[in-house]
Amino acid sequence: MDPDPVIVARLRADLSDAGYTADAVREAWGPLADEAVGHGLHGPALAALAARAVTGEAPEAVDAVAVLARLLFLGVPTSRASVDRVLVRTGADGLAVLGLATLHGDDVVPRALVRPQDFADDAAAAAGSSAGGDAGETGGQWWIASDLDEAALGGALPVGHVLGVGGASLTLAGLQLPTPAARVLDLGTGCGIQALRARRFADRVVATDVSERALAFTRLNALLNGVDGIETPLGSLFDPVRGEVFDRVVSNPPFVITPRVAGVPTYEYRDAGLAGDDLVAAFVTGVGEVLAPGGTAQLLGNWEYRGDLDGLDRVRAWVDASPVPLDAWIIERETLDPLAYAELWVRDGGTAPGTPAYAPLVEAWLADFAARGVTAVGFGYLLLRRVDPAIGEGGAGTAPLRRFERLTQPLGVTGGGLGAHLARALEASDVLSRLDDDALAEATFVVVADVTEARHHLPGAEAPSVIELRQGGGFARTIEVDPALAALVGACDGDLPVGVLSDAIAELLDVDATALRADLLPRVRELAFTGFLRVM
């Protein structure tokens, strides 16, 4: 059922007038309680909100943020009188009509959460990339409705649970390329957070899911935040969009590896009903057919390590199996052993250690992994792009982009979000693919503003024993370089071509100029792709 747009508009106005923002909620219950809420512990927050409660008949006597945080953020029944005073247009009756609450006597009992969520975008990322400057940031706030979480329910989640905004969804939202697109597909939209994010850069968004309840939340959240242009067809994987093509596909799919045995619940928000990592494999091998040439797909995923087979090699095989040629940049962020993985997702479903169901569920996971010889599970980011035949024409004729790497260090804190960093890397890849080594030697570069150099000396030594280049933003890479490459990077100010710089360094070091060029140019390509240098 579609939400009533008139009542949703009233709710949006009420939440705005009440000052129901993420900052206001955090201020209402304080930093310790805020951290506890992130761990599923509501007691400290409820105590802090109770301390703010003010009794009285006048509307101004009601702490609006405290009322809304209790009812809509934590999912705790709240008096109808206080709700009606805060939501003056919507009232408790309006919440009931929208399916967000039920009325029991004098209490409003929440059926869903509506939480404020801050967001930030890299404004004009494409322009900033082309101009060699840093993109500015813009941002705002959404209100995101979703099902009650396990803390509000006081137990395990129902299998049809629609998840709110979690760590994985925030990660993917930050990874989305902040560049214009005509049509974007959000596959497995859930509560719609990725669709909302994509719509900021796209003309139209198609948000699919196997859950009609999830699509209903997506439609509600689009209305609640005044966002149009989002379609919500029902269906699995690419079935709802067969025959269509998109400039971009984003997905936080139900990639969790779950045993397919009796007694193990399969949650729609995280389980696709396929064995092992088959869901991610199906996405990788099938997404090329719904991408326009040059179109990109971004998703999060798990992949298994089986026996002696490296998990990233499994992903490589999926990319190779695509009937449509794909560029691929796969980044593994962490790995878990089977026991740690099983315990993580059993707890995520609301089954706590020490309860009767906990051990049987963990053991079911371990038996499932053992049957396939799984030794570990990787998690990471997948960026795929349908190869565009026009890219590289007249240039070096390089092979498709293929990067499979492990980057487990903390991410950068400067220079904007990862989405802009990924966009600049793809742009650099396209530029570099058109340059053979002779053309590259004629190109000029500048050092990106967030790059620093560190030199490590042994006590009393004049020359450094280690020289490192460090990246403040992006993936916060640190690479060790030799004196020749350090000198070249230090001289990249957009004035002289790298070939001229290389020859000058060869003369200073008294080494063969041709050999030094052959050594430096591939490393210049790598530094340009990874964001240490920017081609002019």
Side-chain angles (χ1 to χ4, degrees), residues 228-249:
D228 62 2
I230 298 178
E231 306 167 36
T232 55
L234 179 71
S236 176
L237 278 172
F238 305 108
D239 289 345
V241 294
R242 295 292 180 191
E244 301 182 56
V245 294
F246 298 85
D247 302 293
R248 192 168 301 150
V249 178

Side-chain angles (χ1 to χ4, degrees), residues 269-308:
Y269 75 90
R270 72 184 199 189
D271 303 313
L274 302 180
D277 50 19
D278 286 354
L279 182 277
V280 180
F283 186 105
V284 173
T285 57
V287 71
E289 295 180 329
V290 301
L291 286 174
T296 57
Q298 296 178 272
L299 71 151
L300 307 179
N302 279 157
W303 41 85
E304 294 181 340
Y305 286 66
R306 296 185 182 177
D308 295 330

Side-chain angles (χ1 to χ4, degrees), residues 226-363:
V227 177
D228 62 2
I230 298 178
E231 306 167 36
T232 55
L234 179 71
S236 176
L237 278 172
F238 305 108
D239 289 345
V241 294
R242 295 292 180 191
E244 301 182 56
V245 294
F246 298 85
D247 302 293
R248 192 168 301 150
V249 178
V250 296
S251 183
N252 181 16
F255 57 75
V256 174
I257 299 167
T258 304
R260 304 301 164 197
V261 297
V264 177
T266 55
Y267 297 101
E268 287 181 346
Y269 75 90
R270 72 184 199 189
D271 303 313
L274 302 180
D277 50 19
D278 286 354
L279 182 277
V280 180
F283 186 105
V284 173
T285 57
V287 71
E289 295 180 329
V290 301
L291 286 174
T296 57
Q298 296 178 272
L299 71 151
L300 307 179
N302 279 157
W303 41 85
E304 294 181 340
Y305 286 66
R306 296 185 182 177
D308 295 330
L309 182 61
D310 188 285
L312 287 179
D313 287 337
R314 284 179 57 76
V315 183
R316 190 191 307 271
W318 302 338
V319 174
D320 291 340
S322 169
V324 176
L326 296 174
D327 290 326
W329 186 6
I330 315 301
I331 299 162
E332 185 174 84
R333 291 291 292 157
E334 65 176 335
T335 59
L336 292 176
D337 63 58
L339 178 58
Y341 189 89
E343 291 185 316
L344 169 67
W345 292 111
V346 171
R347 290 194 303 268
D348 178 81
T351 302
T355 59
Y358 185 80
L361 286 175
V362 172
E363 289 167 3

Side-chain angles (χ1 to χ4, degrees), residues 77-418:
T78 303
S79 74
R80 178 168 184 159
S82 60
V83 171
D84 286 340
R85 290 174 189 165
V86 171
L87 301 179
V88 294
R89 302 170 184 84
T90 313
D93 288 334
L95 292 180
V97 171
L98 293 176
L100 299 175
T102 55
L103 307 180
H104 289 284
D106 294 331
D107 284 337
V108 180
V109 180
R111 295 180 56 196
L113 305 175
V114 181
R115 290 175 168 173
Q117 179 64 55
D118 293 332
F119 66 86
D121 289 332
D122 296 295
S129 173
S130 299
D134 290 330
E137 284 194 354
T138 61
Q141 179 191 270
W142 292 309
W143 292 291
I144 304 296
S146 64
D147 274 326
L148 299 173
D149 59 18
E150 59 266 31
L153 291 170
L157 300 173
V159 294
H161 178 80
V162 177
L163 191 67
V165 179
S169 54
L170 289 176
T171 295
L172 182 60
L175 289 168
Q176 284 198 39
L177 303 178
T179 50
R183 298 187 76 225
V184 173
L185 170 63
D186 174 16
L187 190 153
T189 189
C191 68
I193 182 68
Q194 304 306 327
L196 291 176
R197 179 75 170 198
R199 183 65 177 88
R200 292 181 61 78
F201 304 100
D203 298 330
R204 305 290 295 179
V205 174
V206 177
T208 68
D209 207 288
V210 297
S211 166
E212 180 55 52
R213 182 169 178 78
L215 295 178
F217 271 117
T218 295
R219 292 190 288 270
L220 171 61
N221 287 326
L223 282 173
L224 189 56
N225 293 286
V227 177
D228 62 2
I230 298 178
E231 306 167 36
T232 55
L234 179 71
S236 176
L237 278 172
F238 305 108
D239 289 345
V241 294
R242 295 292 180 191
E244 301 182 56
V245 294
F246 298 85
D247 302 293
R248 192 168 301 150
V249 178
V250 296
S251 183
N252 181 16
F255 57 75
V256 174
I257 299 167
T258 304
R260 304 301 164 197
V261 297
V264 177
T266 55
Y267 297 101
E268 287 181 346
Y269 75 90
R270 72 184 199 189
D271 303 313
L274 302 180
D277 50 19
D278 286 354
L279 182 277
V280 180
F283 186 105
V284 173
T285 57
V287 71
E289 295 180 329
V290 301
L291 286 174
T296 57
Q298 296 178 272
L299 71 151
L300 307 179
N302 279 157
W303 41 85
E304 294 181 340
Y305 286 66
R306 296 185 182 177
D308 295 330
L309 182 61
D310 188 285
L312 287 179
D313 287 337
R314 284 179 57 76
V315 183
R316 190 191 307 271
W318 302 338
V319 174
D320 291 340
S322 169
V324 176
L326 296 174
D327 290 326
W329 186 6
I330 315 301
I331 299 162
E332 185 174 84
R333 291 291 292 157
E334 65 176 335
T335 59
L336 292 176
D337 63 58
L339 178 58
Y341 189 89
E343 291 185 316
L344 169 67
W345 292 111
V346 171
R347 290 194 303 268
D348 178 81
T351 302
T355 59
Y358 185 80
L361 286 175
V362 172
E363 289 167 3
W365 248 277
L366 296 180
D368 180 61
F369 284 139
R372 290 192 303 280
V374 176
T375 57
V377 179
F379 166 80
Y381 318 148
L382 300 90
L383 174 57
L384 307 168
R385 183 170 62 168
R386 180 167 180 168
V387 172
D388 186 347
I391 299 297
E393 285 186 357
T398 55
L401 171 67
R402 293 292 176 88
R403 291 182 69 95
F404 299 83
E405 55 186 330
R406 294 179 175 86
L407 298 174
T408 58
Q409 69 272 15
L411 299 178
V413 295
T414 65
L418 274 179

Side-chain angles (χ1 to χ4, degrees), residues 7 16-17 23 39 43 111 133 137 141 170 173 219 249 273 293 340 390 403 422 430 433 436 438-439 455 472 522 528:
I7 300 178
S16 178
D17 287 352
D23 284 344
H39 290 267
R111 295 180 56 196
E137 284 194 354
Q141 179 191 270
L170 289 176
R219 292 190 288 270
V249 178
R403 291 182 69 95
L422 297 176
D430 292 342
S433 73
D436 61 16
D438 289 338
R455 295 183 175 236

